[in-house]
Amino acid sequence: MTFSPTLIAIAGIVVLVVLLVLLILSRIKVAGPNQAFLVTGQRGKSVTSASGERSTDLSGQKVVMGASVFVIPVVQKLHTIDLSSRRIPVGIRGAVSKQGIKCDLEGVAIVKVGGNEGSIRAAAQRFLNQQAGIEVFTSEVLAGALRSIVGRLTIEEIIRDRAAFASAVAEEAESALTGQGLILDTFQLQDIQAEGSYLADLGRPEAARVLKEAAIAEARAKQAAEQEQLLAQEAIAIANRQLNLKQAEISAEIDAAKAQAAAAGPLAQAAQDQQVLLEQEKVAGRTAALKERQLDTEVRKPADADRYRIEQQAEANKNAAIFRAEAERQSTIAAAQATAEQARLSGEGERARRSALADAEAIEGEKKGEAERLRRQAIAAAVESEGAADASAILARGQAEAKAMDQRSQAFATYGEAAVLDLLVKVLPEIVSAASAPISAIDKMTVISTDGAAGVTKSVAANVAQGLQLSSDLTGVDLGKMLSRLGGASAVEAAGRTEPADGAAARSAADRDGKARTIPVD
């Protein structure tokens, strides 16, 4: 088969166009986000320095970041700079600190190529064909900066403020890295080791302090725990004591209630007997009072009325006799005067007058004597009536008292020795008071006795005992045995008990209502 020349020419043109398109596409380059393209091949501008030297600037180098660029074949050349960050470990050995102590430091730095055209051109000039050298260069620069900073600081300062130390290292290395188109993002100090046991010794005081504080805190906690335990035990003991006291109190109350219940019967009977005695005593008193009023109504007041009537009658008779005698006297005197006047007038008058006057005086004397006799008789009658009335009153009172005594004796016979005891308890304070009366009248007294001031109370007690013995001898009733038998032994013991020797002796005696009372002797 034979192709025409025209067809061959067209096919050649098409192939050429395709090849040209492929060539053009192959020369278009797109930069990644961590890449920078540097296109060279153009001539830079000629500049003249201040010293007059002529040179070519870097304007002929085209820097492309994050964009596409067409690289003219043969004329231009494309270079790529990696803008990624690099983690570079930095370590130095034997660095001397401010105190002259050698130490080893380990750190890490994050370094990258700067993101502007100047940094990219500077980095491209130094590290374009040896970008792995960036790490070595950065490590050496930072190592130098570390040695420089360590020499100006103490190990304590480095440890206490690592951020300030890292900032100082970054400032120290910044100028060197920036000149190479590099940027130090961060620098961190990871570890520091001092020569010998310096760091261990440096922390020992603090560790000892911490250990001391821990031991103190542990001891205090233990002490607090023991105190709390003791307080808890004390609280338990107090609670047990209160429980025991409460149980004892309850037991005592139960015993008291039982004793009270057991004694309720005799006490009630004694109270009832006492009430009966009191009621009978009241009845006897009221009966005596009634008798007294009956005596006043039936005897005394009538006798007083009779006496008053007789006295008034005697007084009236006396006055009548006096009036009559006076009238007779006046009549006699008038007659005598008339007679005397007549005798005077008659010559015989004077003698007769004198005689008449003597007779009149004799008559007057007789009249006065009669009046006095009548008055005395009236007084005697009145006295006799009064005496009779008093005798009747005394008789009625005696009868009432005898009847009251009969009733009392009947009551005493009914209640026997209890009534005698009641009477004895009533009079016992009077006996004790009488026994102590001579001593109470003494203003100042000196006691000469081996017993001291207690001898006074013994003397009073002896007087009381003697009084009781004398009463027993006179009445024939053994009062001591009776008191002991009837439960009154306490009264006898109180009477014979020696009082406290403090000078203010006092003793107990049964008062009238049966309650004990204290009688001061001084």
Side-chain angles (χ1 to χ4, degrees):
M1 184 179 64
T2 304
F3 297 98
S4 62
T6 304
L7 184 58
I8 294 172
I10 293 171
I13 293 170
V14 171
V15 172
L16 181 62
V17 170
V18 171
L19 291 175
L20 182 61
V21 170
L22 292 173
L23 178 63
I24 293 171
L25 292 176
S26 65
R27 302 305 298 177
I28 296 174
K29 303 296 181 181
V30 179
N34 59 339
Q35 292 178 338
F37 290 159
L38 183 66
V39 180
T40 59
Q42 293 182 355
R43 185 179 180 83
K45 295 179 180 179
S46 178
V47 295
T48 303
S49 63
S51 59
E53 295 181 356
R54 296 181 63 86
S55 61
T56 303
D57 60 8
L58 301 176
S59 60
Q61 300 177 1
K62 185 178 181 180
V63 177
V64 178
M65 293 182 294
S68 60
V69 61
F70 181 77
V71 180
I72 300 172
V74 182
V75 178
Q76 293 179 335
K77 188 176 183 180
L78 179 66
H79 304 280
T80 301
I81 299 296
D82 188 2
L83 301 180
S84 300
S85 298
R86 293 173 174 81
R87 183 179 181 280
I88 302 172
V90 181
I92 56 174
R93 299 288 183 270
V96 180
S97 66
K98 185 177 180 180
Q99 310 101 307
I101 299 172
K102 292 182 178 179
C103 58
D104 300 335
L105 290 91
E106 298 289 342
V108 61
I110 304 299
V111 180
K112 67 179 182 180
V113 178
N116 51 44
E117 292 183 1
S119 298
I120 292 173
R121 288 192 178 96
Q125 289 179 357
R126 278 83 177 175
F127 307 107
L128 182 59
N129 295 325
Q130 48 183 1
Q131 295 187 30
I134 294 176
E135 296 179 0
V136 178
F137 173 77
T138 302
S139 177
E140 292 177 353
V141 171
L142 290 176
L146 280 173
R147 290 184 184 278
S148 176
I149 298 303
V150 169
R152 297 198 297 264
L153 299 175
T154 63
I155 294 177
E156 290 84 350
E157 292 173 347
I158 296 172
I159 294 173
R160 289 172 184 173
D161 195 356
R162 293 192 177 190
F165 175 77
S167 179
V169 172
E171 291 177 357
E172 183 71 19
E174 183 178 6
S175 59
L177 295 176
T178 303
Q180 301 302 321
L182 301 176
I183 296 175
L184 179 62
D185 285 343
T186 59
F187 175 78
Q188 295 294 331
L189 180 63
Q190 292 181 329
D191 189 18
I192 178 170
Q193 295 293 331
E195 183 179 16
S197 60
Y198 180 81
L199 290 179
D201 296 338
L202 187 64
R204 287 175 62 186
E206 185 67 18
R209 184 185 65 79
V210 173
L211 183 62
K212 175 183 176 183
E213 291 180 354
I216 293 172
E218 184 179 1
R220 288 178 178 176
K222 186 176 180 181
Q223 181 182 5
E226 291 180 353
Q227 289 179 351
E228 291 295 332
Q229 185 177 3
L230 292 175
L231 291 175
Q233 292 177 355
E234 183 179 359
I236 293 172
I238 293 172
N240 291 331
R241 183 187 65 182
Q242 292 179 350
L243 178 60
N244 293 331
L245 291 175
K246 192 64 177 179
Q247 291 177 348
E249 182 180 356
I250 294 173
S251 178
E253 291 179 355
I254 293 173
D255 294 340
K258 290 181 179 178
Q260 187 175 3
L267 289 176
Q269 184 63 35
Q272 185 177 3
D273 295 342
Q274 183 70 18
Q275 188 66 27
V276 170
L277 288 175
L278 292 175
E279 294 298 330
Q280 290 181 352
E281 186 176 0
K282 291 180 181 178
V283 171
R286 290 181 179 178
T287 303
L290 179 60
K291 291 294 183 181
E292 187 71 17
R293 286 196 295 272
Q294 288 178 353
L295 180 61
D296 291 340
T297 304
E298 296 175 357
V299 179
R300 187 175 292 117
K301 288 185 178 178
D304 291 341
D306 293 340
R307 183 185 62 182
Y308 181 74
R309 182 179 56 78
I310 293 172
E311 287 178 355
Q312 293 299 320
Q313 184 66 35
E315 185 69 21
N317 294 334
K318 184 186 70 174
N319 293 333
I322 291 172
F323 289 152
R324 283 195 303 270
E326 183 66 22
E328 289 177 356
R329 188 181 64 83
Q330 293 295 333
S331 177
T332 302
I333 291 172
Q337 287 177 352
T339 304
E341 183 64 23
Q342 185 178 3
R344 186 182 62 81
L345 295 174
S346 64
E348 296 290 333
E350 185 61 23
R351 184 179 60 83
R353 186 185 66 80
R354 292 182 180 273
S355 179
L357 184 58
D359 294 339
E361 290 180 353
I363 293 169
E364 185 178 2
E366 292 177 355
K367 296 296 182 183
K368 288 183 177 178
E370 182 64 19
E372 181 64 22
R373 186 180 62 82
L374 294 175
R375 189 182 66 82
R376 289 183 179 274
Q377 288 179 352
I379 294 172
V383 170
E384 184 179 1
S385 300
E386 185 177 1
D390 292 341
S392 298
I394 293 171
L395 179 60
R397 186 183 300 109
Q399 291 176 351
E401 291 178 354
K403 188 175 182 179
M405 288 297 294
D406 291 340
Q407 294 179 352
R408 183 174 297 176
S409 63
Q410 292 176 1
F412 285 176
T414 302
Y415 295 97
E417 293 177 348
V420 177
L421 177 60
D422 179 72
L423 179 62
L424 182 59
V425 169
K426 291 180 180 179
V427 300
L428 187 57
E430 296 179 359
I431 296 174
V432 177
S433 177
S436 62
I439 297 175
S440 62
I442 297 173
D443 185 20
K444 184 177 181 181
M445 179 174 67
T446 302
V447 179
I448 302 176
S449 176
T450 56
D451 298 330
V456 179
T457 56
K458 286 184 176 180
S459 178
V460 176
N463 291 337
V464 175
Q466 291 177 2
L468 293 176
Q469 183 63 38
L470 181 58
S471 299
S472 299
D473 295 337
L474 292 177
T475 58
V477 177
D478 193 346
L479 300 178
K481 291 183 178 178
M482 181 184 296
L483 293 173
S484 302
R485 186 171 61 256
L486 298 178
S490 60
V492 177
E493 293 175 0
R497 186 176 61 244
T498 302
E499 298 296 331
D502 56 354
R507 58 188 178 81
S508 301
D511 56 7
R512 295 185 181 277
D513 54 0
K515 295 180 178 178
R517 64 188 179 93
T518 301
I519 300 175
V521 177
D522 57 347

